[in-house]
């Protein structure tokens, strides 16, 4: 049985990866320190014989007994308000944490895939973004702690590949959504869904004409699975190229939730908020034969089912 270590396993994406690799018949070693993860996301796996959980901060030395075939490094605060609250942990997990896991990969002769991000492109001056674009990042702005940690992560991963011959994979993840996103993580989809369900104002930042491209989590997981098993070590964008403005997104969620009390309110645009973002997925199509299959209508419906179960409508029980 193949053994895989997944860091950030109790997080939104990490927990879906645990499910997928369990389904594929792997022995999954899950690791998290729960600063943003939620143990409930993986609780259903605890009874399984081929699942283990370690409570650990990967910024400290990582020890895993026995053989390891694969490592997926997905630990990090990942929403703008989380990394503003935890700037040092964000920098450490992307740098020291990645260094520890690359060292572990080297000593176990394991293949390692690291979770990078569209944030390496910053507020992009090229559109859509392909993997050859170097980005437009403010190193000392509020997002710098995340963006630069992830850029360092890519650099050290390539160095371990080049100098130590470690088998490395780099996925650049664009905005992803689905069940198990944390309600209060401040990202646009949990914010809008919870506000719409509660009949509050949907907090559109700025005028809402900034764009994003949202990928359903199952599509992302399929892309990661294919990349891990491929023989390609250069970065690959995984995301859904269907781009919309945040204002359109707010209206789609208002229409879906259909709560007469819900409405739109305007809040200031955060500093360095990227104005547009859309993945060029030519490389993923050509190398992995991958493209997203779940459109936004279907993905939002599935996600709404989840948010209905975790967000209470006011007066629901009256
Ligand atoms: N946003 C918004 N209202 C919110 C949260 C976010 O209008 O309550 C906007 C934010 O300014 C950004 C976009 O939605 O332009 C996506 O934000 P998110 O935090 O989800 O992720 P990002 O892509 O910025 O990392």
């Amino acid at each position: 049985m193949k053994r895989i270590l997944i860091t950030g396993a109790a997080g939104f994406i990490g927990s879906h990866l645990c499910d997928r690799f369990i389904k594929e018949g792997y022995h999954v070693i899950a690791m998290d320190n729960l600063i943003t993860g939620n143990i409930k996301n993986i609780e259903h796996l605890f009874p399984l014989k081929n699942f283990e959980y370690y409570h650990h901060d990967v910024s400290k030395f990582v020890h895993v007994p026995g053989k390891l075939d694969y490592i997926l490094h997905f630990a990090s605060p990942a929403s703008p308000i989380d990394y503003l609250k935890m700037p040092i942990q964000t920098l450490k997990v992307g740098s020291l944490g990645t260094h520890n896991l690359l060292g572990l990969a080297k000593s176990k002769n394991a293949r390692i895939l690291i979770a990078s991000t569209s944030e390496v492109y910053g507020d992009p001056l090229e559109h859509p973004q392909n993997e050859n674009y170097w980005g437009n990042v403010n190193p000392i702005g509020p997002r710098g702690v995340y963006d630069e940690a992830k850029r360092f992560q890519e650099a050290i991963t390539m160095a371990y590949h080049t100098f130590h011959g470690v088998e490395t994979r780099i996925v650049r993840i664009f905005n992803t959504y689905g069940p198990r996103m944390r309600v209060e993580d401040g990202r646009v989809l949990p914010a809008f869904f919870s506000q719409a369900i509660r009949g509050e104002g949907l907090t559109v930042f700025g005028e809402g004409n900034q764009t994003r491209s949202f990928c359903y989590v199952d599509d992302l997981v399929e892309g990661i699975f294919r990349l891990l098993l491929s023989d390609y070590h250069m970065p690959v964008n995984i995301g859904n190229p269907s781009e919309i403005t945040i204002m359109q997104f707010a209206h789609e969620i208002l229409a879906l939730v259909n709560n007469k009390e819900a409405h739109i309110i305007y809040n200031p645009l955060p500093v360095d908020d990227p104005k547009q973002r859309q993945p060029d997925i030519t490389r993923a199509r050509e190398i992995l034969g991958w493209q997203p299959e779940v459109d936004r209508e279907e993905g939002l419906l599935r996600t709404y089912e989840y948010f209905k179960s975790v967000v209470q409508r006011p007066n629901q029980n009256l």
Side-chain angles (χ1 to χ4, degrees):
M1 192 183 260
K2 297 277 185 208
R3 286 164 58 87
I4 185 166
L5 169 67
I6 302 180
T7 76
F12 160 50
I13 295 174
S15 65
H16 286 281
L17 287 167
C18 289
D19 286 342
R20 175 64 188 261
F21 281 90
I22 287 286
K23 207 168 119 206
E24 298 287 341
Y26 288 57
H27 183 97
V28 172
I29 301 157
M31 197 171 271
D32 209 298
N33 67 350
L34 302 180
I35 61 170
T36 57
N38 183 351
I39 202 76
K40 286 203 177 110
N41 290 337
I42 48 173
E43 242 169 20
H44 59 286
L45 301 174
F46 276 57
L48 303 179
K49 272 209 303 286
N50 57 330
F51 183 82
E52 299 172 61
Y53 173 72
Y54 287 84
H55 185 96
H56 184 66
D57 175 357
V58 297
S59 302
K60 310 222 168 75
F61 184 84
V62 180
H63 173 70
V64 174
K67 75 157 190 156
L68 263 188
D69 300 288
Y70 300 106
I71 298 172
L72 299 179
H73 181 26
F74 278 70
S76 178
S79 83
I81 64 157
D82 284 342
Y83 48 78
L84 284 176
K85 270 191 281 186
M86 292 174 272
I88 314 287
Q89 285 109 315
T90 303
L91 281 158
K92 283 170 73 176
V93 73
S95 55
L96 307 180
T98 304
H99 186 210
N100 288 335
L101 292 160
L102 285 164
L104 182 67
K106 180 166 157 263
S107 76
K108 300 276 187 185
N109 211 6
R111 182 181 294 179
I112 177 167
L113 181 149
I114 60 125
S116 187
T117 166
S118 54
E119 283 287 326
V120 299
Y121 303 123
D123 191 2
L125 304 177
E126 278 186 19
H127 195 73
Q129 295 79 53
N130 75 50
E131 292 87 347
N132 296 321
Y133 178 51
W134 292 353
N136 176 39
V137 172
N138 175 3
I140 56 165
R143 289 176 177 252
V145 294
Y146 185 67
D147 300 9
E148 297 297 2
K150 291 292 188 179
R151 289 166 68 96
F152 174 87
Q153 182 183 50
E154 290 199 8
I156 193 171
T157 299
M158 288 307 282
Y160 266 71
H161 172 78
T162 309
F163 291 98
H164 290 310
V166 172
E167 281 204 58
T168 56
R169 305 287 179 266
I170 299 174
V171 59
R172 290 187 181 150
I173 300 171
F174 283 65
N175 292 69
T176 301
Y177 70 99
R180 302 187 191 152
M181 289 186 94
R182 216 170 79 239
V183 175
E184 305 298 340
D185 87 349
R187 275 187 280 201
V188 65
L189 182 138
F192 285 178
F193 262 126
S194 54
Q195 291 156 346
I197 292 170
R198 293 178 185 135
E200 298 168 353
L202 273 63
T203 50
V204 169
F205 294 168
E207 288 167 19
N209 48 23
Q210 68 274 37
T211 68
R212 293 295 185 271
S213 310
F214 295 96
C215 182
Y216 189 67
V217 64
D218 289 359
D219 282 333
L220 175 79
V221 165
E222 178 64 29
I224 291 168
F225 186 74
R226 289 186 191 202
L227 178 60
L228 180 69
L229 299 187
S230 78
D231 55 11
Y232 192 73
H233 72 276
M234 296 296 279
V236 178
N237 288 341
I238 299 285
N240 189 322
S242 166
E243 181 184 5
I244 52 164
T245 67
I246 293 304
M247 182 57 85
Q248 282 173 292
F249 196 53
H251 282 290
E252 286 187 3
I253 292 182
L254 278 177
L256 179 59
V257 175
N258 193 22
N259 181 342
K260 301 268 177 305
E261 305 288 306
H263 54 282
I264 287 179
I265 58 172
Y266 294 91
N267 280 1
L269 192 65
V271 176
D272 293 340
D273 197 288
K275 282 177 275 309
Q276 52 180 3
R277 189 182 282 158
Q278 188 203 96
D280 177 337
I281 59 165
T282 309
R283 188 176 279 182
R285 278 188 215 275
E286 286 176 2
I287 291 174
L288 310 176
W290 176 88
Q291 61 179 22
E293 302 293 344
V294 181
D295 65 18
R296 213 170 42 249
E297 195 181 346
E298 172 62 24
L300 285 180
L301 258 176
R302 293 190 206 170
T303 309
Y304 181 35
E305 287 308 310
Y306 174 76
F307 278 92
K308 272 197 286 197
S309 72
V310 291
V311 179
Q312 298 287 309
R313 269 180 200 258
N315 306 326
Q316 191 168 277
N317 300 320
L318 295 182

